[in-house]
Amino acid sequence: MEKTRVQKQHNLPSECTTIIIGQEQTADGSMIVSRSEDWDAMEAKNYEIFEDTENGLCEFVARDSPFRCELPGKALGYTALSPYSLHRHWGSAGFNSAGVGMSATESIFSSDEVLKYDPLVENGVAENSVFNITLPYVRTAREGIERLGMLIEEHGIAEGFGIGFVDNKEIWYLETACGHRWLACRMPKDQYFVTGNQSRFRTYDPDDKDNYLASADLIEFAEKHGLYDPSQGAFDFHKAYARDVELDTTYNYPRVWGLQRLFSPDIKNDVTKNTFPVFARAAHKITLTELRTAFRFHYDNTEHDPYLHSNPKEPYRPVSIFRTTQTHLLQVRPELPQAIGCINYVAMGMADLGVFLPLYQGITSYPEAYTKGTGESSADSAYWKFRKVMVLGMTNYNKYAPVIKEAYAKFEAETDQRQREMEEEYLRIYKTQPLHAQDLLQAFSDRILNSALSLADRLQERLFTLMTQDIQQEYLFHGA
């Protein structure tokens, strides 16, 4: 995400980084759609779980924009990561009860020229609503694209965005083109995709329905208005529809450059030019640990590292920034039962000083602390427990960040191992003892999420101890 929110109470821009990894590019054969939501550190996230219903809301009425639309009464259950002030709004990321995962949204921008011919619609679909009006009503990733495309064409969009969908067979990603037009591509299984606040798609073949879905007149519209000249070569979606301005060269290009360099060091990209491949192959299959590291990326230990050099004016925008509200990794492992095969790994707040925790699709509740938190710090909110650790760490990043990182790295590694052990037991019993398997999964989730809160509490005390020692040393006034 990257534009000013339509919410009146917030003035900060909302920005994101997205990483999608095809099944043959992951170390464990899973499919992953992941994104950081960079917005406002004061906006606590509340975890939500909704059940399947035959009598759901018949109309969506946005509380922070003029958008509204009709909804089917029958809705699938789903999980969401909502801002505390917008229950059932801005769900951000989660799975529905059919096993479809959705990440919404990556803010992107149409060119000024195309918006002259198909402008944004003030009361159209906005980032605040797209998740909650789509995910509960689709049973496959492709259906997600088709429903979202229909909504865009019917209502128009209030702002540009990119959306990822994943199910147990494939991944799809959609980018808006202008007020009522869009393009979606199926993710190649043997490649990965990274983007930061900029439309990335290039190629579109309207005859290849297996790999592309789009507005019916996408190419014809561009040609009609002088945005595409067939005599100059093949249609290029980015050239025809996307914004590409000086701001992008420092705010967006470096993230794509840095992440592709991380995964594919042999690719010789020029950070100053938007010639990055849309899809790329990694040097080796990507592990979950490496993906977490990617979302913690801030040009570590280079001249562009803003935390190492205490430089908040660094022109290269890092992947991991302080005002991130959450980072999610939607992982689907098709060979496993849906309850454990679909996992949303979420780190509240800044990923670089945060901890990723597994949220299994099959759980039915979260510890209460994860469901509360407001715009003011409170002791009973998981969001604020994790945020306090980050605040303390940022007061002296070079001294305190290693303390946090070491503790969280150890916790994540231990959790990975405990997950493997729990899943082995789940698979042993789930067919013959389904209720026991459900209890096992829920108890594991509660234990891990509560343990993470305890760790955050201990880290707070450790950091306060170190800070007390530092301040005493600085203001010692000893000389008797």
Side-chain angles (χ1 to χ4, degrees):
M1 305 179 176
E2 194 262 36
K3 60 183 68 66
T4 300
R5 297 276 192 177
V6 290
Q7 287 175 271
K8 294 180 181 178
Q9 64 266 42
H10 296 289
N11 296 316
L12 289 177
S14 169
E15 305 149 338
C16 297
T17 303
T18 291
I19 304 174
I20 297 176
I21 309 176
Q23 190 169 9
E24 294 173 8
Q25 284 280 272
T26 59
D28 60 0
S30 65
M31 293 174 281
I32 301 176
V33 172
S34 54
R35 180 174 58 88
S36 63
E37 180 181 85
D38 310 326
W39 178 18
D40 183 349
M42 304 305 296
E43 189 72 16
K45 285 288 180 176
N46 293 177
Y47 293 4
E48 297 178 316
I49 298 179
F50 301 101
E51 296 182 352
D52 289 16
T53 179
E54 297 285 336
N55 300 291
L57 297 173
C58 292
E59 184 182 32
F60 181 90
V61 179
R63 282 182 278 160
D64 57 343
S65 82
F67 175 73
R68 61 175 58 205
C69 72
E70 293 183 359
L71 296 173
K74 185 175 181 180
L76 295 169
Y78 65 104
T79 56
L81 309 172
S82 295
Y84 76 90
S85 58
L86 293 170
H87 181 65
R88 286 186 180 270
H89 280 54
W90 224 307
S92 300
F95 286 98
N96 68 21
S97 56
V100 179
M102 179 178 178
S103 174
T105 71
E106 178 79 35
S107 293
I108 61 175
F109 299 84
S110 304
S111 71
D112 291 341
E113 184 66 19
V114 72
L115 291 178
K116 293 178 184 177
Y117 310 110
D118 185 11
L120 300 177
V121 180
E122 183 180 0
N123 63 344
V125 179
E127 295 183 302
N128 60 333
S129 54
V130 66
F131 183 88
N132 297 74
I133 64 174
T134 305
L135 186 60
Y137 310 102
V138 300
R139 293 189 169 273
T140 67
R142 180 183 281 261
E143 280 187 22
I145 295 295
E146 292 170 342
R147 174 170 173 79
L148 180 53
M150 176 271 292
L151 290 165
I152 291 170
E153 292 175 8
E154 179 179 347
H155 299 280
I157 59 169
E159 52 198 344
F161 49 75
I163 308 280
F165 293 92
V166 59
D167 60 23
N168 63 0
K169 293 183 175 63
E170 58 190 7
I171 299 170
W172 282 84
Y173 191 74
L174 177 148
E175 292 185 347
T176 55
C178 47
H180 298 81
R181 288 166 176 82
W182 55 277
L183 170 64
C185 300
R186 187 171 73 156
M187 183 69 204
K189 290 186 176 181
D190 62 346
Q191 296 179 72
Y192 69 89
F193 170 84
V194 298
T195 183
N197 302 134
Q198 193 176 31
S199 171
R200 302 274 304 126
F201 288 160
R202 298 281 186 174
T203 303
Y204 168 49
D205 180 355
D207 296 323
D208 183 359
K209 303 298 184 183
D210 289 338
N211 294 299
Y212 300 97
L213 293 169
S215 304
D217 68 342
L218 189 69
I219 295 178
E220 292 77 7
F221 181 85
E223 187 176 349
K224 176 183 177 181
H225 295 289
L227 305 168
Y228 164 55
D229 181 356
S231 68
Q232 300 299 309
F235 175 74
D236 184 321
F237 177 77
H238 182 89
K239 285 185 178 180
Y241 286 100
R243 186 192 78 176
D244 211 323
V245 296
E246 185 176 354
L247 170 65
D248 296 310
T249 64
T250 55
Y251 201 84
N252 304 328
Y253 291 8
R255 280 180 283 165
V256 175
W257 170 80
L259 290 172
Q260 288 191 349
R261 190 180 184 191
L262 190 68
F263 293 138
S264 310
D266 290 341
I267 296 178
K268 303 304 180 186
N269 286 329
D270 182 343
V271 70
T272 67
K273 297 178 181 178
N274 193 358
T275 54
F276 316 110
V278 177
F279 303 109
R281 288 183 175 85
H284 60 264
K285 294 191 175 184
I286 301 167
T287 67
L288 199 60
T289 299
E290 289 170 327
L291 182 57
R292 294 168 184 149
T293 299
F295 277 105
R296 290 169 168 139
F297 179 70
H298 47 85
Y299 315 102
D300 305 48
N301 302 314
T302 72
E303 62 180 315
H304 292 290
D305 187 336
Y307 311 132
L308 176 68
H309 302 297
S310 301
N311 179 21
K313 302 298 184 182
E314 165 58 46
Y316 280 17
R317 197 276 212 193
V319 172
S320 186
I321 61 177
F322 181 74
R323 58 188 176 86
T324 303
T325 54
Q326 54 85 11
T327 301
H328 58 267
L329 322 176
L330 295 168
Q331 181 187 48
V332 176
R333 296 173 294 171
E335 75 282 3
L336 294 176
Q338 181 178 301
I340 62 170
C342 298
I343 311 176
N344 185 10
Y345 288 90
V346 178
M348 281 187 167
M350 180 186 193
D352 188 50
L353 298 180
V355 59
F356 283 92
L357 304 174
L359 308 180
Y360 283 90
Q361 190 273 336
I363 63 173
T364 58
S365 66
Y366 304 114
E368 185 179 7
Y370 288 85
T371 67
K372 61 200 312 185
T374 66
E376 295 186 2
S377 180
S378 59
D380 59 353
S381 164
Y383 177 88
W384 282 108
K385 282 181 182 289
F386 294 122
R387 180 61 74 183
K388 288 173 187 174
V389 173
M390 296 165 200
V391 171
L392 295 173
M394 290 298 287
T395 62
N396 187 337
Y397 182 90
N398 290 319
K399 182 168 185 177
Y400 302 146
V403 176
I404 301 169
K405 288 170 170 284
E406 181 182 1
Y408 283 159
K410 181 180 179 182
F411 186 90
E412 288 177 353
E414 291 175 350
T415 299
D416 289 345
Q417 178 58 35
R418 288 171 180 161
Q419 283 182 258
R420 288 188 285 269
E421 295 167 357
M422 181 277 292
E423 289 174 1
E424 287 178 5
E425 179 64 10
Y426 183 96
L427 290 172
R428 189 181 69 81
I429 65 173
Y430 83 102
K431 287 184 178 179
T432 57
Q433 303 175 66
L435 294 179
H436 184 194
Q438 171 62 35
D439 289 344
L440 174 75
L441 179 59
Q442 187 66 52
F444 174 83
S445 178
D446 291 343
R447 185 166 62 252
I448 291 297
L449 296 184
N450 282 321
S451 295
L453 296 180
S454 297
L455 175 56
D457 286 340
R458 294 195 301 275
L459 276 171
Q460 283 183 50
E461 302 310 325
R462 174 63 178 152
L463 292 167
F464 267 110
T465 300
L466 293 173
M467 293 175 75
T468 302
Q469 293 171 344
D470 292 344
I471 293 170
Q472 176 172 268
Q473 186 61 39
E474 185 177 358
Y475 293 94
L476 191 58
F477 296 115
H478 172 67

